[in-house]
Amino acid sequence: MRLTHWLVTSVSVAVTLTLTTAASASNAPPNTPSAVAAPATALVGPLFSAGLARQHTCTASVLDSPGHDLILTAAHCVSGNGTGILFAPGYDRGATPYGVWTSVAAYVDPSWISDQDPQHDVAILRLARRQVPGGSVGVADVTRVAEAIAPAPRPGEQLSVPSYPAGIEDQPISCNVSAYYFGKYPSFNCAGYVGGTSGAPWLARIGHSWVVTGVIGGLHQGGCVDYTSYSSAFGLDTYRLWLRAAFHQPADTVPVAGPDGC
C-alpha cells in the first residue's frame, strides 16, 4: 500500500503515499470487498501537512482524554516534534464543519524512536486548544464524540474502518471488515485503502460509544497492496502511550519513517 516515501519539511511530517489512487483498479482477489464512499463523521478526519489546498497525508481520529485535545494516527505519519500538522474532523469535499485544528506535540512509543518497531506504529498528537468566552475548548468538546483505546481486535471481530484516500477536497471511504491475524499483526481485507489511509482507526461499537482497536500501520507501514491492511497490536504499551499524552507529559521527537519493506 505504501510505495513512495517523501518528506514534507515545512511541518516536519513524514508521509508514505502510494502511486495508486482510489479510482485505480485493484488487483484484489475475487470476492474481496471494496471500500465505498461514506458519510463524514466528526470522529475521523484527514491530516494535512502543507495546508488544505494540498492533498492530505494520513488519517486520524479523535481520542478520548481528560483534556479533550488528542487525536490518534500512525507513527510513520509523523516526524520531528509533530507541530503544525492540521486536522479537519468531519472533512467532506473541502468542508470543515468542526474547524481545522493544529498539533502542538507528538507522542510515540520508545521502541518506535529507537528502531521503528512496526508493533508500535502508533502516534498520538495533542492539538492546540481554542479560546472561547470563559475559557478554552479542545477538539472533542467541538466534535462531541471521541473514541477510547481498546485492546487489539479478536480474530473474527467485526470492525468499521473510515478513512481518507489521498486527494484534494475528497470525501471519506469506509468498509465493514472482519479482523484476522497475519502472524502477530491484526489484519483485514478490503480494497481501496490506498495512500492517505494510514492512521485510519479500526472502530468497534460498545453500547453508545466507539472504541479503537488499531490503526492502519504496523507491518509494512499498513500494507503493500490496497486490499490488505495491517495494524500494530494494541496492548498495555498503547495504553501507557495514551497516559503520557493524556496528562501532557514531555512530548517526543519522532524519527522520519524509513522504508516500508514492500
Side-chain angles (χ1 to χ4, degrees):
M1 182 184 305
R2 313 293 181 235
L3 302 181
T4 302
H5 285 72
W6 52 290
L7 177 65
V8 181
T9 57
S10 61
V11 289
S12 298
V13 182
V15 299
T16 311
L17 299 177
T18 176
L19 298 178
T20 307
T21 67
S24 300
S26 173
N27 293 318
N31 301 319
T32 301
S34 294
V36 297
T41 168
L43 187 64
V44 183
L47 295 177
F48 294 87
S49 63
L52 272 63
R54 302 284 295 275
Q55 73 174 8
H56 78 275
T57 55
C58 286
T59 300
S61 52
V62 182
L63 194 57
D64 192 23
S65 71
H68 301 174
D69 55 1
L70 302 181
I71 59 173
L72 182 70
T73 189
H76 73 263
C77 293
V78 180
S79 72
N81 59 18
T83 61
I85 304 168
L86 303 180
F87 174 63
Y91 186 85
D92 189 358
R93 289 163 284 194
T96 56
Y98 304 96
V100 180
W101 301 75
T102 304
S103 65
V104 295
Y107 298 85
V108 296
D109 191 88
S111 66
W112 181 262
I113 294 174
S114 62
D115 60 6
Q116 296 186 21
D117 177 10
Q119 276 291 11
H120 293 91
D121 187 4
V122 182
I124 296 175
L125 299 178
R126 177 158 51 89
L127 304 180
R129 299 177 65 82
R130 290 190 175 164
Q131 295 302 313
V132 297
S136 65
V137 294
V139 63
D141 295 310
V142 176
T143 62
R144 297 186 180 276
V145 63
E147 65 203 7
I149 293 282
R154 302 179 305 276
E157 184 171 354
Q158 297 300 300
L159 304 167
S160 176
V161 187
S163 185
Y164 286 81
I168 300 173
E169 295 191 354
D170 49 332
Q171 62 184 129
I173 61 170
S174 190
C175 197
N176 294 322
V177 300
S178 179
Y180 69 95
Y181 275 73
F182 180 77
K184 58 185 179 180
Y185 293 95
S187 313
F188 71 82
N189 291 335
C190 184
Y193 285 87
V194 295
T197 62
S198 287
W202 299 26
L203 297 173
R205 191 89 181 190
I206 298 181
H208 297 291
S209 300
W210 289 106
V211 297
V212 57
T213 64
V215 297
I216 292 181
L219 183 64
H220 299 305
Q221 297 176 13
C224 295
V225 292
D226 76 291
Y227 52 84
T228 297
S229 298
Y230 304 106
S231 173
S232 305
F234 282 18
L236 286 177
D237 286 347
T238 317
Y239 182 68
R240 293 188 190 102
L241 176 64
W242 175 84
L243 285 173
R244 285 203 296 122
F247 292 97
H248 294 187
Q249 294 185 8
D252 296 315
T253 299
V254 186
V256 175
D260 55 23
C262 292

